[in-house]
Amino acid sequence: MKHLLKLLDLSQDEIIGLLDLADQLKYEKKHGIAHPHLQGKSVGLIFQKSSTRTRVSFETGIYQLGGQPMFLSSRDLQIGRGEPVQDTARVLSRYLDGIMIRTFDQKEVDDLAEYGSIPVINGLTDQYHPCQVLADLMTIRERYGVLEGLKLCYIGDGDNMANSLIVGGLKTGMKVSVATPEGYEPLEEVMEFAKENPDFTFCNDPAKALKDADVVITDTWASMGMEDEKEKRIRDFAGYTLDDELLSNAKDSAMVLHCLPAYRGQEITEKVFEDHADEIFEEAENRLHAQKAVMVELMKDKAETL
Ligand code: CP
Ligand code: NVA
C-alpha cells in the first residue's frame, strides 16, 4: 500500500490487515502501551470542507503515534487561491511525511498522490470516504467477530458512504444490499465493480433491501456541497427515514451505524438513533484507531517491525 485513495485499490488481505492493526492499536491505547510509530514525522491535514471527527481523530491519532499533525485549511493555503494541486503536492512532499486531504473531487486526491512523493490519505471526497468505512468494518467485526457472510444494508443517498461501503463490504466477504431513490444511485464505477458479485443487490425499495440485515447504515440525504438541494432531497427521499417500522425488516439483533453528523427526522429518527447510540459512537471512536492503522501502514519506517 502506497496511499489510501479509495478502497477499490485495496485487496481483501490489505483491508483485513488494516483492521487487525487497528484492533492492536486500540488495545495498546486502552492499556497504556506506547506505540510511537510516527516519531519524528509530520503529517499535513488539508481540509477544503468542514469536519469534526476527521480533523480531531487525525490530529489526536498522529500525536498518539509520536508524530506532528499540521492542520492546513484551504482558506489559508495557496491552493485556495488557485495554486495547482500538482505544485502543492511537489512542495509538501519536501516538508512532510504524509498528507491527509478532505476535498470535493476525487481527482484532486489522485493528483496529489500522482505528483507528490509521500503517502496520501483520502479523508473524504464527493465520491469516497474510505477512512470512515474502515472504521465501520472494524466496528462491525468487533460486534460479530467476523465480517464474512453478514448482510450489510445501506439505505439513502448513493453518496461517498454508499460507494465506499459497497466496495468495503463486498471485498471483505459481506452480502451488501443497497436501496436509493431513483436518480440517486451509487457511482457508475462502483456499480460496475459490484454488479457481477452475487452478494450484491440494488433496488429502490428500502424495506426490501433491509430484509434480514445484520447491519443497517444510512447517511445524510444532502452531503457537504449539496446544501442547495436539501429541500428537494427531503421530498425525493420520502419513505427512506430509518424508523422502527422500516428497521423491523432487519434482524431483531441488527446493529445500526451512521458516520455522523446525523439529521434526526430526516434519514433517521431520534428513537432509532438513540437506541443504537452505543454502536454509533463506538463507530466514531474507531475512526481514531482505523486511521492510526492506515498511517502506520503507510508511513512506518521500512525497517520497523511491529
Ligand atoms: N464522519 C465524518 O467524517 O465526520 P466529520 O465530517 O465530522 O469529519
Ligand atoms: N456523505 C456525507 C458524509 C459526512 C461525513 C458528506 O459527504 O457530507
Side-chain angles (χ1 to χ4, degrees):
M1 255 180 86
K2 281 193 173 156
H3 306 283
L4 177 62
L5 308 179
K6 53 185 174 181
L7 294 179
L8 276 172
D9 301 335
L10 270 56
S11 67
Q12 175 174 30
D13 283 351
E14 284 171 327
I15 295 174
I16 298 295
L18 287 172
L19 300 182
D20 290 345
L21 182 53
D23 286 348
Q24 181 189 327
L25 292 166
K26 184 172 184 176
Y27 178 89
E28 289 174 355
K29 177 74 187 72
K30 302 274 177 202
H31 291 81
I33 302 167
H35 42 275
H37 304 293
L38 294 191
Q39 196 132 43
K41 298 196 191 299
S42 300
V43 185
L45 308 172
I46 302 176
F47 283 90
Q48 312 238 36
K49 290 180 174 178
S50 303
S51 171
T52 297
R53 282 144 288 272
T54 306
R55 177 175 176 182
V56 178
S57 57
F58 264 103
E59 285 209 34
T60 307
I62 293 161
Y63 171 77
Q64 290 173 6
L65 289 165
Q68 179 203 26
M70 199 178 298
F71 174 70
L72 301 167
S73 162
S74 60
R75 274 195 293 277
D76 305 327
L77 290 175
Q78 296 285 10
I79 209 170
R81 295 178 57 246
E83 183 170 18
V85 70
Q86 293 87 337
D87 295 357
T88 306
R90 286 177 286 185
V91 171
L92 293 183
S93 294
R94 289 171 182 251
Y95 304 140
L96 299 169
D97 299 285
I99 302 175
M100 191 274 345
I101 178 166
R102 164 168 289 198
T103 189
F104 293 87
D105 193 352
Q106 180 72 25
K107 184 168 180 333
E108 204 172 333
V109 180
D110 296 345
D111 283 352
L112 204 52
E114 185 181 339
Y115 290 94
S117 54
I118 55 175
V120 172
I121 299 169
N122 176 355
L124 181 147
T125 59
D126 289 350
Q127 291 81 19
Y128 293 108
H129 200 357
C131 291
Q132 180 68 53
V133 168
L134 289 172
D136 290 9
L137 295 173
M138 178 182 179
T139 312
I140 297 164
R141 202 173 68 155
E142 280 179 333
R143 157 80 178 269
Y144 290 106
V146 292
L147 293 173
E148 208 150 355
L150 293 176
K151 177 172 174 178
L152 181 158
C153 172
Y154 175 89
I155 62 167
D157 188 19
D159 63 6
N160 42 19
M161 279 304 298
N163 294 327
S164 289
L165 281 167
I166 292 168
V167 176
L170 291 176
K171 285 211 177 202
T172 53
M174 300 179 84
K175 299 180 182 24
V176 177
S177 67
V178 173
T180 75
E182 275 184 53
Y184 293 97
E185 290 80 10
L187 268 187
E188 192 57 44
E189 76 169 348
V190 170
M191 294 301 269
E192 272 300 306
F193 162 80
K195 75 175 188 206
E196 304 298 340
N197 194 321
D199 287 335
F200 179 68
T201 57
F202 176 80
C203 64
N204 303 121
D205 178 351
K208 186 174 159 200
L210 280 161
K211 184 124 188 52
D212 295 327
D214 299 287
V215 185
V216 178
I217 307 184
T218 187
D219 186 19
T220 181
W221 294 338
S223 286
M224 288 180 276
M226 294 172 180
E227 288 77 9
D228 291 352
E229 296 179 23
K230 191 167 172 188
E231 295 311 316
K232 177 183 180 342
R233 284 170 171 260
I234 288 174
R235 288 193 298 277
D236 291 351
F237 283 80
Y240 277 79
T241 302
L242 186 61
D243 57 13
D244 278 330
E245 193 187 332
L246 207 46
L247 186 58
S248 69
N249 292 286
K251 286 189 182 155
D252 290 342
S253 57
M255 69 192 298
V256 173
L257 297 179
H258 192 306
C259 67
L260 303 173
Y263 298 89
R264 276 82 154 177
Q266 294 182 31
E267 75 271 11
I268 193 166
T269 60
E270 175 79 22
K271 178 163 184 308
V272 170
F273 184 92
E274 289 303 334
D275 285 350
H276 294 272
D278 288 350
E279 293 153 8
I280 291 168
F281 290 106
E282 195 67 29
E283 174 191 16
E285 177 185 324
N286 284 339
R287 291 291 303 278
L288 172 71
H289 310 298
Q291 290 158 191
K292 283 168 73 179
V294 170
M295 289 187 285
V296 170
E297 181 59 35
L298 292 176
M299 292 174 218
K300 70 173 185 240
D301 290 327
K302 298 277 175 290
E304 185 184 356
T305 46
L306 287 172

